[in-house]
C-alpha cells in the first residue's frame, strides 16, 4: 500500500508538496497537544493501576506522543512517512476502543474519525484522501458497533463525562483545518467528506444524549433503590438479632434451669433436676431445629455442664465473649460469627440468676446463620437483576450471609498478615481451612471500613467485566455491615438498548448516504475508478491485469505506461522466481543433509550412553552390533578383533543371521587382504560400493544381500585393535561424510571395548587375590586354632565361664558343616529353642554362636535372628582383629628379643665373651633348655 501511495501521492508542483508537508506538521502537532492536554493531568492524579480510567488515559497519552512523533518525522525527514505513521497508529489503536474504552465507543469513534478525516483531507492529494476517509469511516463505524454489541473483554465500562467536551473541542479545531482546504478538494473527496459528516452527526447526538441525561437519571434511581434495600435488610437483621436476644432473656428465667444450677455439682448427674433442665433445653431447640444447633448451660467458670449435644459437655467456653460479656455486665449478648470445627455459628447468651440476683451461670444458644441468609434471599427481586446482598463482619470481613456464589459464603475478602490471620483463627473468628476468598479484595475492605453510612461506591466483586454499584448500611445490634450491590450493566441496559436502536438507524442512514456517494462518484469519475482498480490488482501481485482505457488523454497515456511497467515487472519477477527456486533447492538439500547428520550424531550419542555402562565384553559386543544395526538401519554389523600377532582379524560379534553362522564357525580374515583386512592393516576407514572393482568384496554366501560396505578401524591409543564392519542392502549407501560421522562412533566403541577388557582383567586379578587371601587366612586360622588353648565361652544369666571341652549338638554340627543359621523353636519335641549362627570370616567358618532361650515355648522372630547374624558378623571381624593383634604382638616381642640379644653380643669384642653371652641370652630366652655352642671341623658354629 505504501508503494501505491508513493506512486500516486505526487503533487503537481514543489510548492504543492511543501504545502502538504506544512499541513501535516501542523495538524499532527495540534492533535498531539490536544491529546496530551486532556490525558496528562488525569494521568498524574490517578493511582497507577489497571483501572479502566487509568488505562484510557495511558492510551490517550500514547496517542498524543505518537502524534508529536509523526509531526517531528514529517518536519525533519519524510512527510509521507510521518503521515502514514500517524494514520496507521490511530487506526490500530481505535480497533481496541471496544476493549479499553467500553461504553465510550460512540464518542471515541467519532473523535478518531474526525481526526483521521481531517488529516487525510488536508495532507494528501484528493486521489489518496478519499480512500483514507472511506477506510476511517468504515473502521470507526465497526468500532462503534463493536462497542455496543460485542461482550466485554476483561475491563469494566469506562465513565468519563469530559469526553463529550473533548468531542466538541475536536470538532471545532479540525473543522477549522478542513474548511481551509475544502475548496481545493476534487469532486470525489467532497462527496466522501459530506458522506462522513452525515454519518457522524446523528451518532454524535445519540452518544451525547445517551451518556449524559438518560444515564445520570438511571444511575440516580438505582442508587436510591440500593439505599432503601440496604436500610431494609439492616432493619430486618436487627429485628432478628433483637428477637433472639429477647427470647433468650425470657428462656434464662426458667425455674428448672435455675434449680439445676443451684443443686450441688456432685448430685446433678442423672438427677431429676438434670432431666428437667435438659428437657427445657430440648424444648428450646425444637422451636426451630433448622437453625438452632444446640442449647447449653455454662457454669461461672465457663464450663459446659449441660448441653443438648452431649458430646460438647465438659468443653471450656470461657475464652468466648458470649460467656465473658454476660458474666461481666449481666446483660444478654449476641456474638459475631464463630467457626467451631470449621462450622459457622452465632451465639446468643443470657445470665441465669438466683432469687437474690446473683449470677449462677450462662444460658447459651448455638445458632446457624441460615436465618440471616433467608432474610437476604427474601429481599432479592423476582427478576434477574444481578443484585448481590451481603452481611459483612466489620472486623474480619467475613460474609456472614451472602446471595452470591456459595464458595464465597462465610469467607473473608480481606488479606490479613500471617500473624493477624493466625490470631483470628485461634479466636475461631476465621476458619482454618481456606479462610480467605480465592479473589480477596483488600482495597474494598479498606473502603468499607471508612465508608459513611449510605455512601455509594463503584467496584467489582464477582465479575471483573461488570462494575457493581455498592451501597452500605450499618446495623444497630451488631458490629456488622450490610452491603447491597447492583450490576451497573443491568441498570444501564435500557440506555444501551436505546443507544443501539439509534445507532442502527444511524448506520442505515450511513448506508444510504454511502450508496448515494458511491453512485455519484461512479458517474463522475468512472475512468479514474477503473484505473484505481487495475492499479490495486497490480499492487496485489496480478501482473496479468491490463488497462483497456482507449482514450487519447492523460488517463490513456497513464494506462499504456502501467501496461508497459507490468510487462517489465512480470519478466523481472519471472527471472527472480527461477533463481529463488534454484536457491531454495540448494537450501533444502543442505537442510536435509544437516538433519541427517544431526540424527546420526543423536543416534551415536544414544549408542555411546548405552554401551558406556556395560563392562562385560561378552555382552558389550552383541549389544554394539545390535544397536548400530537398529539405529542406522544396517543389514549387517560385525565386530572384528585383531590378534596379538597382527596376522588375522577374528569376528567377535554380529547381528545378522549370516553373521551368526560366520561367528559359529570362527570366521577370520587375513590382515591386509579384503576390505576388513585392509582397514586392520592401515587403520583408516574404507568404503566399498556395488560398482566396478568393489563388487568383488561382496562375494560372501553368508551375506548375499550386501550391496554396500564400510569398514571403520577401532583405534585406541594409536593402535588398531579391531574393525567395525557395516553393510547395507542399498547400492552406494555410504559416503565420505558417513565415514567421518560413524568414525566418531567407532572411536567410542573402541574405548568401550578397551574399558571392558580392562574391567575383565581387573576382575580376574581381584578373584585371584581373594582366593590367595582366603588360602592364607585358612592356614593362619588353622595354626591359631592349634595353638589356642581357649576353645570358647559360655554366658548365662548368672555369669560366664570358659568352656572346658567343646560343646557338640546336632544344630552346632549342622551350622559348622553347612555354614547356615539353624533355628530351633519350642514346638519341636525334646528340644530347647535355640539359634545357632556360624561365625564366618570372608566365607570361612571359624566358629559358632549358639543362643538358647530360657523357656521351652519361645518363638524366635526375624528381628532376633537378624540381630544374631549381625552380632556373628561383628564377632568374626573382632576375632580376626584380635588374632592379628596377638600375632603382631608376638612378632614384635620376638623382634625385640632378637634385637636385645644382638645388642649384647655385639657389645663384646672377645671371642670367649661373645660365646658366653650368646649362650646365656639364649638360655634366658628359652628357659629350661640346654644351650651348647661348638665349632665343627669345617670352621662353622653349631648351636644346640
Amino acid at each position: 500500500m505504501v508503494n501505491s501511495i508513493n506512486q500516486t501521492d505526487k503533487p503537481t508542483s514543489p510548492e504543492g508538496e511543501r504545502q502538504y508537508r506544512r499541513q501535516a506538521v501542523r495538524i499532527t502537532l495540534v492533535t498531539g497537544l490536544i491529546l496530551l492536554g486532556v490525558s496528562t493531568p488525569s494521568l498524574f492524579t490517578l493511582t497507577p493501576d489497571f483501572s479502566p480510567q487509568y488505562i484510557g488515559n495511558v492510551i490517550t497519552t500514547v496517542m498524543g506522543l505518537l502524534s508529536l512523533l509523526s509531526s517531528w518525522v514529517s518536519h525533519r525527514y519524510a512527510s509521507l512517512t510521518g503521515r502514514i505513521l500517524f494514520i496507521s497508529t490511530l487506526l490500530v489503536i481505535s480497533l481496541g476502543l471496544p476493549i479499553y474504552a467500553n461504553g465510550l465507543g460512540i464518542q471515541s469513534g467519532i473523535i478518531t474519525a474526525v481526526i483521521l478525516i481531517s488529516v487525510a483531507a488536508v495532507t494528501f492529494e484528493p486521489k489518496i484522501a478519499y480512500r483514507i476517509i472511506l477506510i476511517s469511516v468504515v473502521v470507526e463505524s465497526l468500532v462503534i458497533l463493536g462497542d455496543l454489541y460485542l461482550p466485554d473483554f476483561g475491563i469494566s465500562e469506562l465513565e468519563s463525562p469530559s469526553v463529550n467536551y473533548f468531542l466538541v473541542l475536536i470538532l471545532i479545531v479540525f473543522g477549522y483545518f478542513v474548511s481551509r482546504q475544502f475548496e481545493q478538494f476534487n469532486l470525489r473527496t467532497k462527496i466522501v467528506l459530506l458522506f462522513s459528516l452525515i454519518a457522524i452527526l446523528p451518532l454524535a447526538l445519540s452518544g451525547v444524549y445517551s451518556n449524559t441525561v438518560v444515564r445520570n437519571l438511571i444511575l440516580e434511581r438505582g442508587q436510591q433503590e440500593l439505599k432503601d434495600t440496604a436500610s431494609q435488610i439492616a432493619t430486618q437483621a436487627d429485628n432478628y438479632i433483637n428477637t433472639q436476644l429477647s427470647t433468650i432473656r425470657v428462656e434464662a428465667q426458667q425455674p428448672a434451669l435455675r434449680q439445676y444450677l443451684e443443686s450441688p455439682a456432685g448430685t446433678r448427674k442423672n438427677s431429676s433436676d438434670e432431666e428437667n433442665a435438659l428437657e427445657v433445653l430440648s424444648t428450646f431447640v425444637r422451636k426451630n431445629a433448622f437453625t438452632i444447633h444446640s442449647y447449653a448451660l455454662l457454669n461461672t467458670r465457663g464450663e459446659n455442664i449441660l448441653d443438648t449435644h452431649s458430646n460438647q459437655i465438659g468443653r471450656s467456653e470461657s475464652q468466648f465473649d458470649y460467656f465473658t460479656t454476660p458474666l461481666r455486665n449481666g446483660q444478654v449478648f449476641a456474638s459475631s460469627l464463630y467457626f467451631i470445627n470449621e462450622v459457622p455459628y452465632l451465639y446468643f447468651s443470657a445470665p441465669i440468676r438466683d432469687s437474690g440476683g446473683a449470677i449462677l451461670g450462662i444460658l447459651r444458644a448455638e445458632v446457624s446463620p441460615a436465618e440471616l441468609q433467608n432474610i437476604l434471599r427474601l429481599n432479592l427481586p423476582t427478576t434477574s437483576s444481578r443484585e448481590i446482598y451481603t452481611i459483612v463482619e466489620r472486623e474480619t470481613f467475613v460474609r456472614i450471609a451472602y446471595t452470591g456464589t456459595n464458595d464465597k459464603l462465610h469467607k473473608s475478602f480481606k488479606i490479613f498478615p500471617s500473624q493477624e490471620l493466625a490470631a483470628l483463627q485461634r479466636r475461631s473468628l476465621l476458619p482454618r481451612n481456606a479462610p480467605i476468598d480465592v479473589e480477596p479484595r483488600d482495597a474494598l475492605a479498606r473502603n468499607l471500613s471508612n465508608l459513611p453510612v449510605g455512601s455509594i461506591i463503584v467496584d467489582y466483586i464477582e465479575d471483573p467485566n461488570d462494575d457493581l454499584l455498592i451501597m452500605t448500611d450499618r446495623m444497630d445490634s451488631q458490629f456488622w455491615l450490610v452491603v447491597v450491590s447492583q450490576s451497573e450493566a443491568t441498570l444501564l441496559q435500557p440506555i444501551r438498548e436505546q443507544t443501539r436502536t439509534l445507532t442502527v438507524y444511524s448506520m442505515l442512514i450511513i448506508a444510504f448516504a454511502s450508496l448515494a456517494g458511491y453512485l455519484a462518484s461512479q458517474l463522475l469519475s468512472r475512468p479514474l475508478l477503473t484505473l484505481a482498480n487495475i492499479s490495486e490488482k497490480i499492487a496485489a501481485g496480478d501482473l496479468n491485469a491490463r488497462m483497456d482505457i482507449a482514450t487519447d488523454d492523460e488517463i490513456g497515456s497513464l494506462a499504456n505506461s502501467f501496461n508497459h511497467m507490468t510487462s517489465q515487472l512480470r519478466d523481472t519477477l519471472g527471472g527472480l522466481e527461477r533463481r529463488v527456486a534454484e536457491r531454495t533447492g540448494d537450501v533444502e538439500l543442505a537442510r536435509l543433509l544437516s538433519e541427517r547428520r544431526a540424527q546420526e550424531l543423536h543416534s551415536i550419542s544414544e549408542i555411546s550412553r548405552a554401551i558406556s555402562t556395560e563392562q562385560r565384553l561378552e555382552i558389550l559386543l552383541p549389544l554394539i552390533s545390535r544397536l548400530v544395526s537398529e539405529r542406522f538401519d544396517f543389514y549387517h554389523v560385525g565386530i572384528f578383533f585383531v590378534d596379538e600377532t597382527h596376522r588375522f582379524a577374528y569376528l567377535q560379534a554380529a547381528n545378522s543371521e549370516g553373521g551368526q553362522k560366520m561367528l559359529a564357525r570362527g570366521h577370520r580374515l587375513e590382515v591386509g587382504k579384503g576390505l576388513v583386512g585392509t582397514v586392520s592393516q592401515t587403520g583408516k576407514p574404507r568404503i566399498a560400493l556395488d560398482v566396478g572393482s568393489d563388487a568383488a568384496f561382496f562375494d560372501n554366501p553368508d551375506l548375499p544381500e550386501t550391496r554396500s560396505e564400510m569398514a571403520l578401524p577401532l583405534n585406541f591409543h594409536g593402535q588398531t585393535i579391531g574393525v567395525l564392519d557395516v553393510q547395507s542392502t542399498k547400492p552406494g549407501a555410504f559416503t565420505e561424510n558417513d565415514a567421518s560421522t560413524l568414525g566418531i562412533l567407532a572411536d567410542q566403541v573402541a574405548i568401550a571395548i578397551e574399558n571392558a577388557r580392562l574391567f575383565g582383567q581387573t576382575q580376574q586379578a581381584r578373584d585371584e587375590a581373594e582366593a590367595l587371601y582366603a588360602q592364607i587366612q585358612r592356614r593362619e586360622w588353622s595354626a591359631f586354632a592349634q595353638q589356642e588353648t581357649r576353645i570358647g565361652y559360655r554366658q548365662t544369666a548368672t555369669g560366664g565361664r570358659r568352656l572346658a571341652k567343646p560343646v557338640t549338638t546336632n544344630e552346632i554340627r549342622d551350622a559348622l558343616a553347612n555354614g547356615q543359621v539353624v533355628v530351633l523353636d519350642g514346638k519341636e519335641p525334646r528340644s530347647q529353642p535355640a539359634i545357632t549362627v556360624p561365625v564366618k570370616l570372608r566365607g570361612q567358618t571359624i566358629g559358632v554362636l549358639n543362643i538358647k532361650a530360657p523357656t521351652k515355648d519361645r518363638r524366635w522372630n526375624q528381628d532376633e535372628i537378624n540381630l544374631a547374624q549381625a552380632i556373628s558378623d561383628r564377632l568374626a571381624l573382632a576375632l580376626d582383629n584380635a588374632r592379628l593383634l596377638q600375632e603382631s604382638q608376638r612378632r614384635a616381642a620376638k623382634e625385640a628379643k632378637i634385637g636385645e640379644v644382638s645388642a649384647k653380643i655385639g657389645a663384646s669384642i672377645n671371642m670367649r665373651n661373645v660365646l658366653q653371652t650368646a649362650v646365656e641370652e639364649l638360655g634366658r630366652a628359652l628357659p629350661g633348655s640346654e644351650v651348647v655352642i661348638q665349632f665343627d671341623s669345617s670352621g662353622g658354629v653349631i648351636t644346640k
Side-chain angles (χ1 to χ4, degrees):
M1 180 176 179
V2 174
N3 292 334
S4 177
I5 293 176
N6 288 334
Q7 294 168 6
T8 57
D9 190 16
K10 295 181 180 180
T12 56
S13 64
E15 179 61 29
E17 172 61 25
R18 287 193 294 270
Q19 178 67 21
Y20 285 133
R21 184 168 187 161
R22 286 194 296 269
Q23 293 287 4
V25 172
R26 291 173 184 173
I27 196 167
T28 52
L29 178 62
V30 171
T31 303
L33 294 176
I34 293 175
L35 293 174
L36 291 177
V38 171
S39 63
T40 304
S42 299
L43 187 64
F44 285 106
T45 57
L46 292 174
T47 302
D49 55 12
F50 291 97
S51 64
Q53 287 77 11
Y54 189 79
I55 293 176
N57 279 278
V58 169
I59 294 175
T60 305
T61 303
V62 171
M63 292 172 62
L65 294 175
L66 290 174
S67 300
L68 295 180
L69 177 62
S70 301
S71 177
W72 180 75
V73 171
S74 299
H75 174 71
R76 187 69 180 270
Y77 298 101
S79 173
L80 181 60
T81 303
R83 284 176 279 169
I84 292 176
L85 174 65
F86 179 77
I87 292 173
S88 302
T89 302
L90 286 186
L91 285 175
V92 171
I93 293 178
S94 67
L95 289 175
L97 287 173
I99 298 177
Y100 68 79
N102 181 30
L104 294 179
I106 296 178
Q107 298 94 319
S108 301
I110 293 174
I111 292 172
T112 307
V114 169
I115 295 174
L116 291 174
I117 291 172
S118 302
V119 172
V122 302
T123 62
F124 285 96
E125 285 191 351
K127 297 176 182 179
I128 306 299
Y130 88 93
R131 298 180 185 178
I132 299 175
I133 293 173
L134 285 177
I135 292 173
S136 303
V137 172
V138 171
V139 170
E140 299 311 318
S141 298
L142 293 176
V143 168
I144 293 171
L145 290 175
D147 181 77
L148 294 175
Y149 290 97
L150 289 179
D152 294 340
F153 294 95
I155 298 179
S156 301
E157 189 169 299
L158 180 62
E159 295 182 358
S160 181
S162 61
V163 174
N164 296 326
Y165 304 104
F166 182 46
L167 174 59
V168 175
L169 178 62
I170 289 292
L171 290 175
I172 294 173
V173 173
F174 287 92
Y176 168 76
F177 282 103
V178 174
S179 63
R180 292 187 57 184
Q181 295 291 116
F182 189 79
E183 294 298 330
Q184 301 178 12
F185 299 155
N186 63 9
L187 182 59
R188 169 164 292 182
T189 305
K190 292 179 179 179
I191 293 174
V192 175
L193 186 58
L194 291 174
F195 151 74
S196 302
L197 292 175
I198 294 173
I200 290 173
L201 288 176
L203 292 177
L205 295 175
S206 173
V208 171
Y209 177 77
S210 298
N211 287 278
T212 53
V213 181
V214 179
R215 182 187 184 92
N216 293 335
L217 291 176
I218 292 177
L219 288 178
E220 289 178 2
R221 184 181 64 183
Q223 293 175 9
Q224 185 60 41
E225 291 178 356
L226 290 180
K227 182 176 181 180
D228 295 340
T229 303
S231 177
Q232 180 179 347
I233 292 175
T235 301
Q236 293 177 0
D238 281 331
N239 292 338
Y240 169 73
I241 298 296
N242 293 330
T243 300
Q244 296 300 317
L245 292 175
S246 299
T247 300
I248 200 169
R249 180 185 294 110
V250 174
E251 292 170 344
Q253 299 175 7
Q254 287 290 327
L257 304 180
R258 183 175 66 251
Q259 184 175 355
Y260 175 75
L261 291 174
E262 288 177 341
S263 63
T267 62
R268 293 173 183 170
K269 188 66 175 178
N270 297 326
S271 63
S272 59
D273 292 338
E274 183 181 72
E275 292 179 359
N276 294 335
L278 186 60
E279 177 61 28
V280 171
L281 296 179
S282 300
T283 303
F284 295 162
V285 173
R286 286 193 292 269
K287 292 185 304 181
N288 191 348
F290 177 74
T291 59
I292 299 176
H293 181 254
S294 71
Y295 264 82
L297 290 179
L298 310 180
N299 61 20
T300 54
R301 295 187 302 275
E303 297 174 352
N304 189 326
I305 60 175
L306 188 64
D307 200 314
T308 55
H309 276 224
S310 58
N311 59 344
Q312 297 188 125
I313 297 176
R315 187 183 71 174
S316 176
E317 303 180 29
S318 60
Q319 73 274 22
F320 296 107
D321 56 358
Y322 61 77
F323 167 75
T324 58
T325 302
L327 188 67
R328 184 181 64 254
N329 59 21
Q331 303 295 324
V332 292
F333 181 78
S335 74
S336 185
L337 195 66
Y338 281 104
F339 291 89
I340 307 301
N341 297 326
E342 303 298 314
V343 180
Y345 292 113
L346 297 173
Y347 291 89
F348 298 94
S349 57
I352 300 176
R353 302 176 184 273
D354 59 10
S355 57
I359 296 178
L360 299 173
I362 302 297
L363 174 64
R364 184 267 292 158
E366 191 175 58
V367 181
S368 167
E371 190 63 34
L372 295 173
Q373 190 78 2
N374 292 334
I375 292 175
L376 297 187
R377 289 173 179 168
L378 291 175
N379 282 277
L380 281 174
T382 55
T383 59
S384 177
S385 61
R386 294 292 304 278
E387 293 187 23
I388 299 176
Y389 301 159
T390 313
I391 297 179
V392 179
E393 211 288 325
R394 291 164 60 190
E395 180 182 1
T396 61
F397 292 92
V398 170
R399 300 179 179 90
I400 300 173
Y402 187 58
T403 60
T405 56
N406 290 332
D407 60 336
K408 300 178 184 296
L409 181 61
H410 302 148
K411 291 183 180 180
S412 175
F413 54 83
K414 180 181 179 180
I415 301 175
F416 293 98
S418 57
Q419 294 182 352
E420 185 178 353
L421 177 62
L424 292 173
Q425 289 176 333
R426 286 194 299 269
R427 293 170 55 195
S428 299
L429 295 177
L430 284 177
R432 298 185 181 275
N433 183 18
I436 309 299
D437 184 6
V438 294
E439 239 180 76
R441 297 299 317 284
D442 199 48
L444 178 59
R446 291 195 300 270
N447 290 337
L448 291 178
S449 299
N450 303 321
L451 195 67
V453 176
S455 299
I456 190 79
I457 61 175
V458 178
D459 208 330
Y460 62 89
I461 298 178
E462 297 293 332
D463 186 0
N465 298 324
D466 186 7
D467 285 344
L468 296 179
L469 297 176
I470 301 176
M471 178 66 69
T472 62
D473 198 351
R474 293 190 178 94
M475 292 176 54
D476 296 331
S477 60
Q478 288 288 80
F479 193 66
W480 295 348
L481 201 65
V482 176
V483 181
V484 179
S485 59
Q486 168 69 53
S487 169
E488 186 175 345
T490 304
L491 283 176
L492 298 179
Q493 188 62 30
I495 191 174
R496 285 180 175 270
E497 296 296 334
Q498 181 182 10
T499 303
R500 289 176 181 177
T501 302
L502 292 175
T503 304
V504 170
Y505 286 129
S506 300
M507 293 297 130
L508 291 176
I509 295 173
I510 292 173
F512 285 115
S514 177
L515 179 61
Y518 175 77
L519 293 176
S521 63
Q522 285 291 97
L523 292 174
L524 298 175
S525 56
R526 185 183 300 276
L528 294 177
L529 287 175
T530 303
L531 183 60
N533 292 332
I534 298 299
S535 300
E536 290 177 357
K537 290 182 180 180
I538 295 173
D542 185 8
L543 299 180
N544 294 319
R546 287 293 181 270
M547 298 184 182
D548 298 328
I549 301 177
T551 59
D552 296 331
D553 54 9
E554 291 80 358
I555 295 177
S557 300
L558 182 60
N560 292 330
S561 299
F562 262 97
N563 291 336
H564 180 67
M565 179 189 66
T566 303
S567 299
Q568 291 181 338
L569 285 174
R570 185 171 62 251
D571 295 339
T572 303
L573 289 177
L576 289 175
E577 288 176 354
R578 287 192 299 272
R579 289 196 293 272
V580 169
E582 294 174 357
R583 293 292 181 86
T584 303
D586 295 339
V587 171
E588 181 64 18
L589 179 60
R591 185 186 64 81
L592 293 176
L593 291 176
S594 177
E595 289 181 354
R596 179 185 175 186
R597 183 173 178 84
Q599 182 63 33
E600 290 176 348
L601 291 175
H602 180 68
S603 299
I604 291 173
S605 175
E606 291 181 344
I607 294 173
S608 300
R609 285 197 301 269
I611 66 178
S612 63
T613 58
E614 184 55 54
Q615 298 176 327
R616 290 172 294 179
L617 199 60
E618 65 275 9
I619 298 178
L620 176 63
L621 297 179
L623 176 64
I624 294 173
S625 62
R626 178 177 60 81
L627 289 177
V628 173
S629 176
E630 291 176 354
R631 298 302 170 88
F632 292 94
D633 194 22
F634 292 147
Y635 163 57
H636 168 78
V637 177
I639 300 176
F640 289 84
F641 280 179
V642 179
D643 63 0
E644 295 180 355
T645 64
H646 210 72
R647 294 183 56 193
F648 296 99
Y650 289 88
L651 181 65
Q652 299 296 320
N655 71 298
S656 64
E657 183 178 354
Q660 294 297 323
K661 295 178 181 179
M662 297 163 61
L663 193 63
R665 67 170 182 267
H667 180 69
R668 70 178 185 177
L669 296 172
E670 187 175 352
V671 173
K673 295 183 179 180
L675 188 66
V676 174
T678 302
V679 174
S680 300
Q681 185 179 46
T682 62
K684 296 181 180 180
R686 187 171 178 183
I687 298 173
L689 306 177
D690 193 12
V691 293
S693 60
D694 289 338
F697 290 123
F698 306 136
D699 188 14
N700 190 338
D702 293 317
L703 302 172
E705 299 181 18
T706 299
R707 292 295 176 268
S708 299
E709 183 176 4
M710 179 170 61
L712 301 168
L714 301 178
N715 296 326
F716 186 79
H717 289 173
Q719 182 180 1
T720 302
I721 63 174
V723 177
L724 177 64
D725 181 42
V726 295
Q727 301 180 20
S728 174
T729 58
K730 301 176 183 178
F734 303 109
T735 64
E736 293 299 329
N737 289 332
D738 294 331
S740 176
T741 303
L742 293 177
I744 301 173
L745 175 61
D747 293 339
Q748 297 296 321
V749 170
I751 294 173
I753 290 174
E754 282 302 312
N755 289 339
R757 283 180 173 176
L758 292 175
F759 176 77
Q761 295 173 359
T762 304
Q763 187 71 20
Q764 182 180 359
R766 191 194 68 178
D767 295 340
E768 293 176 354
E770 288 180 352
L772 180 60
Y773 184 78
Q775 182 179 357
I776 295 172
Q777 180 178 272
R778 284 194 298 272
R779 185 172 65 250
E780 293 292 333
W781 268 99
S782 177
F784 176 77
Q786 293 176 2
Q787 298 174 1
E788 182 63 36
T789 59
R790 290 167 293 188
I791 61 175
Y793 288 89
R794 181 192 301 274
Q795 182 69 36
T796 63
T798 58
R801 59 185 175 85
R802 294 175 55 179
L803 293 177
K805 61 179 180 177
V807 178
T808 303
T809 62
N810 292 332
E811 58 269 20
I812 292 177
R813 283 193 293 270
D814 291 342
L816 290 173
N818 301 326
Q820 302 293 329
V821 178
V822 179
V823 180
L824 295 179
D825 289 332
K827 61 183 179 181
E828 297 184 8
R830 291 181 296 177
S831 65
Q832 185 174 1
I835 301 176
T836 305
V837 184
V839 180
K840 289 185 175 182
L841 180 64
R842 299 180 182 89
Q844 178 183 354
T845 303
I846 61 174
V848 66
L849 179 65
N850 189 31
I851 304 171
K852 291 186 177 181
T855 59
K856 293 290 187 179
D857 57 349
R858 178 63 180 269
R859 296 291 187 271
W860 304 102
N861 56 43
Q862 191 60 43
D863 290 339
E864 293 172 333
I865 297 173
N866 294 338
L867 177 61
Q869 288 179 318
I871 293 175
S872 174
D873 295 338
R874 305 300 190 278
L875 177 60
L877 294 175
L879 289 173
D880 193 48
N881 292 335
R883 181 188 65 79
L884 293 174
L885 178 61
Q886 183 177 342
E887 179 67 20
S888 299
Q889 291 174 345
R890 186 182 65 79
R891 290 182 180 180
K894 179 180 178 181
E895 294 295 333
K897 191 63 179 177
I898 293 173
E900 181 183 351
V901 173
S902 299
K904 290 181 178 181
I905 292 175
S908 302
I909 58 175
N910 184 279
M911 176 65 71
R912 181 179 178 179
N913 292 337
V914 170
L915 295 176
Q916 184 176 357
T917 301
V919 169
E920 290 176 354
E921 292 301 325
L922 285 174
R924 293 191 187 96
L926 302 172
S929 301
E930 180 182 357
V931 180
V932 178
I933 299 177
Q934 68 180 12
F935 294 96
D936 64 357
S937 59
S938 61
V941 180
I942 299 175
T943 304
K944 295 183 179 179

